[in-house]
Amino acid sequence: MVSFAVVSAVPRWWCGRAADGWFRGEPERVRALAEEMVAFEAVDDRWRAGGGRDRVVGMWGLLAHQMTALGLAQVSLAYPEWAGRYGPVVTRAATKSLLPQLRFEFTDAWHGRDGLADLDSGDGHAYLSYPALALGMARLVDPAFPAELAARHDALIAAFERRLLASPTGLLDTFPGEAYPTDVAAVAAAIAVHGRVTGADHTAVLAHWAERVRAVQIDRPTGLVIQRMGTDGRAHDAPRASGTGLAAYFAGFADRSLAEELAAGLFGQERRVLGFGAIDEYGAGYRGAGDMDSGPLVLGISVSATGFALAPARAFGHRDLFTRLYRTTDLFGVPLRSGDRARFATGGVIGNALLLAFLTSGPELAA
C-alpha cells in the first residue's frame, strides 16, 4: 500500500509543480512561453522576407498566428510594461492571419469567393472571426496599429454585426450551410473587442447573440454547445466538449455570464484519475469517433477539450480544476526550457500558441 501511494503521488506532484505558477501568472513562467512565440514569429518573418514557403499552412497557420496574437495580447494586458515589446508582434501575427494562403480551404469551400472581398453579402464567412479577433486585440495593445488595417477591421466587424443581427438563430455559416457555434462565439468576441477599442456600441448585437446561444445552440441535458449546425438551427452533430471549451474562451471576451454557463457544462465533463483531470468529448447519451476539432480520443477523452478547459478554469478562478488539467497537460505536453524560452515539446507551434492563450486567459474577460 505504501508503494502504491508513492507511485500515485509522485507523478501528480511532478506534473503539477508549475500549475500554481501558471494559475497566478508568474512573470518568469509567462514570459518564457511568450518569448517562444515571439521567436516563432521572428523566424516566420525571415522566411517570408526571403521568399520561403509558409511554415504552417492553411487553417492551422491561421490558428497559429491568431492564437499567438491573442496570447501575447493577453500577456500585454496583464503586464502593461511588456506591451512595448509584444504589441508590435501581436500586430504582425494578426496581420498574417489575413493571408490568402492561410484561408484557402475556406475560399475553396465557398467556390473561390474570398470572404474578405464578399463583405456586402449575407453569407456568414464566420471563419474570418479568427483574424478579426486577433486584429482587435492588436489594436488594443499596439499604439502603432496601422490606420489602413484599422479601416479593414472596421469594415469586417460591420459586416459581422449586420449578418449576426439578421440571423434568427444567432448562427453564421463557416462553410456554405454549415455553422459552428464556436466560430460564431469568436464573431461575438471580435465584435466585443472592437467596441472596447473604438467605443462603438455593440450592445444590441451581443445581446441578440447571447440570447440565441441559450435558446438554440446549447443542449440542455449536457450543457454543451452543439458542435455543428445548419444556419436554420438544426443539429448536424452532437453536443461536444471541444467546441464548448473553445466557445467558452471566446464567449469570455463578449459575455462573462454566458461564458461561465458554457464553462459549467464543460467542467461537468471532467474525468479524474489519481489527481489528473481530463475532459470527455461527448455528453451522456452521445458517442462518436471525434475529429480534427477534438483531437485524438482516448476512451472518449479529448486532448483538445482538456487543453481548452484550462482557459475558463483559470479565468473563472477554479484553482483545483486548473491544477488537475495542468497535470495532464504537463504529462503529455512535455514542457522544456532553453535559456529565456520555454515550450511544450509535443504540441508544436500550434500547441504552444494555443497554450499561451489558454494559460494566460483572464485579462480578456468582458466586465
Side-chain angles (χ1 to χ4, degrees), residues 331-356:
L331 178 64
F332 293 101
V334 190
L336 299 175
R337 185 73 183 248
S338 177
D340 64 348
R341 289 158 49 188
R343 62 189 174 90
F344 290 84
T346 62
V349 168
I350 297 168
N352 284 297
L354 287 164
L355 284 172
L356 177 63

Side-chain angles (χ1 to χ4, degrees), residues 68-286:
T68 295
L70 296 188
L72 291 175
Q74 289 167 189
V75 170
S76 297
L77 292 174
Y79 298 94
E81 65 273 22
W82 297 350
R85 173 165 175 75
Y86 295 141
V89 185
V90 175
T91 295
R92 295 205 312 273
T95 304
K96 290 174 193 175
S97 70
L98 290 172
L99 290 170
Q101 58 266 39
L102 302 187
R103 296 183 283 109
F104 69 86
E105 291 111 326
F106 304 104
T107 303
D108 287 352
W110 285 97
H111 311 292
R113 290 164 50 209
D114 183 347
L116 284 176
D118 201 30
L119 296 184
D120 291 334
S121 82
D123 295 322
H125 296 288
Y127 62 91
L128 289 173
S129 60
Y130 290 80
L133 177 55
L135 290 168
M137 292 297 279
R139 290 178 76 173
L140 196 61
V141 301
D142 183 7
F145 190 86
E148 180 181 352
L149 195 55
R152 294 182 70 191
H153 180 232
D154 291 341
L156 180 54
I157 294 299
F160 275 141
E161 182 166 30
R162 172 177 51 80
R163 292 166 182 169
L164 196 51
L165 281 170
S167 170
T169 59
L171 291 164
L172 301 177
D173 43 3
T174 289
F175 300 107
E178 190 91 321
Y180 295 77
T182 298
D183 293 350
V184 187
V187 170
I191 292 172
V193 171
H194 180 268
R196 192 185 303 187
V197 171
T198 65
D201 184 2
H202 297 304
T203 304
V205 66
L206 295 175
H208 169 71
W209 163 74
E211 190 276 331
R212 293 289 82 196
V213 172
R214 292 184 171 104
V216 177
Q217 301 170 29
I218 296 176
D219 174 68
R220 286 300 163 197
T222 62
L224 303 176
V225 294
I226 299 167
Q227 194 86 348
R228 293 181 294 115
M229 306 182 75
T231 53
D232 59 2
R234 295 183 182 180
H236 291 180
D237 197 348
R240 289 166 50 185
S242 56
T244 305
L246 196 50
Y249 169 65
F250 288 139
F253 290 83
D255 188 311
R256 186 186 183 106
S257 66
L258 177 57
E260 288 183 295
E261 288 179 38
L262 296 176
L266 175 69
F267 298 159
Q269 297 294 112
E270 188 199 7
R271 307 293 178 257
R272 307 180 193 180
V273 177
L274 300 177
F276 291 78
I279 303 295
D280 195 330
E281 174 71 356
Y282 291 91
Y286 299 94

Side-chain angles (χ1 to χ4, degrees), residues 6-17 19 269-279 301 306 320-333:
V6 171
V7 168
S8 63
V10 169
R12 183 173 63 232
W13 165 77
W14 181 263
C15 294
R17 291 170 301 152
Q269 297 294 112
E270 188 199 7
R271 307 293 178 257
R272 307 180 193 180
V273 177
L274 300 177
F276 291 78
I279 303 295
I301 296 298
T306 300
D320 291 345
L321 171 61
F322 179 89
T323 299
R324 292 191 299 271
L325 294 170
Y326 183 82
R327 287 173 182 143
T328 304
T329 301
D330 183 280
L331 178 64
F332 293 101

